Amino acid sequence: EVPQISSFCKHLRKLLGNIKIKKIFQLNFDRIVVLELENDFKLIMEFFGKGNLIITDKDNIIQTVLERQKWANREIKKDEEYIAGTEKITDPTDKSILRALKKEENMEKFVASIGFGKKYAKEICNNTSSPEEVFKNINKVINSELQPRIYKSGKEIIITPFEMTTTQVESL
């Protein structure tokens, strides 16, 4: 029996066809990847919560969405403006981050909360108790050239944007 194609996939094919990608970028250092397409549409991939795929037009109006979602501060549905779900750091050199780190008891938890996630927060904090060192590591990660790595941890394959030294993984 031939599986049915979802209406989302049909709509994707209709909107995108054989369109080329103009630009790929990460939004606000968050778990959101945006593909700008040559027809002025954007394919937005959210990699948090359940995840989602969203197509917007040049004005950021949602044309189609894999899963309609609603939170207190935003709604993901057709004909609504796309608004990123989190306010993460956009300027890692902002001294307010260093001031916040100095007030935090758990710097690793704070680094995870500003958009790095637990795995990268552990790497950035790397068993240091110095807020200045953590701040320096944040800036080093963001400002250095990407050096993607592929690791294996048990049966899991992990792809990282930089070398991991604190996580128990086997380099591939």
Side-chain angles (χ1 to χ4, degrees):
E1 184 175 313
V2 178
Q4 293 292 321
I5 298 173
S6 72
S7 60
F8 177 76
C9 286
K10 288 177 186 175
H11 203 173
L12 271 181
R13 286 180 181 175
K14 180 181 172 186
L15 288 175
L16 305 181
N18 289 327
I19 298 300
K20 293 182 181 169
I21 298 170
K22 287 193 312 190
K23 184 177 177 183
I24 300 173
F25 61 94
Q26 184 177 11
L27 188 62
N28 296 338
F29 204 72
D30 201 351
R31 293 166 289 173
I32 302 172
V33 176
V34 179
L35 280 68
E36 285 186 1
L37 309 169
E38 67 181 6
N39 64 354
D40 292 327
F41 283 98
K42 294 177 196 162
L43 173 58
I44 301 169
M45 298 172 280
E46 295 184 338
F47 295 100
F48 50 84
K50 294 181 195 175
N52 213 346
L53 292 172
I54 301 131
I55 301 283
T56 67
D57 63 14
K58 64 180 176 16
D59 298 319
N60 242 18
I61 303 301
I62 297 171
Q63 300 302 301
T64 191
V65 61
L66 179 61
E67 187 172 324
R68 185 176 166 175
Q69 296 175 327
K70 185 174 183 171
W71 296 270
N73 63 338
R74 73 181 187 134
E75 187 169 6
I76 302 293
K77 72 176 189 176
K78 186 173 175 16
D79 298 325
E80 292 287 323
E81 180 179 5
Y82 175 76
I83 298 169
T86 53
E87 294 184 26
K88 302 297 181 187
I89 59 172
T90 56
D91 180 6
T93 61
D94 186 341
K95 296 292 184 189
S96 65
I97 294 170
L98 179 58
R99 286 191 296 276
L101 280 166
K102 288 179 179 179
K103 295 177 186 174
E104 281 295 322
E105 286 183 33
N106 186 335
M107 287 188 291
E108 191 173 311
K109 186 175 180 180
F110 173 77
V111 172
S113 77
I114 61 171
F116 288 95
K118 291 177 185 177
K119 186 184 311 176
Y120 298 131
K122 181 178 180 180
E123 189 71 26
I124 288 166
C125 293
N126 197 9
N127 300 321
T128 183
S129 60
S130 161
E132 291 80 9
E133 191 66 28
V134 171
F135 183 67
K136 184 177 121 188
N137 289 346
I138 287 171
N139 283 278
K140 181 180 172 187
V141 165
I142 292 174
N143 294 319
S144 64
E145 188 174 316
L146 292 179
Q147 298 176 343
R149 300 283 198 274
I150 301 174
Y151 298 101
K152 184 176 182 182
S153 179
K155 292 183 178 183
E156 182 182 19
I157 301 293
I158 302 167
I159 300 172
T160 65
F162 54 88
E163 183 177 10
M164 303 288 280
T165 58
T166 61
T167 305
Q168 296 288 332
V169 291
E170 172 188 337
S171 187
L172 294 178

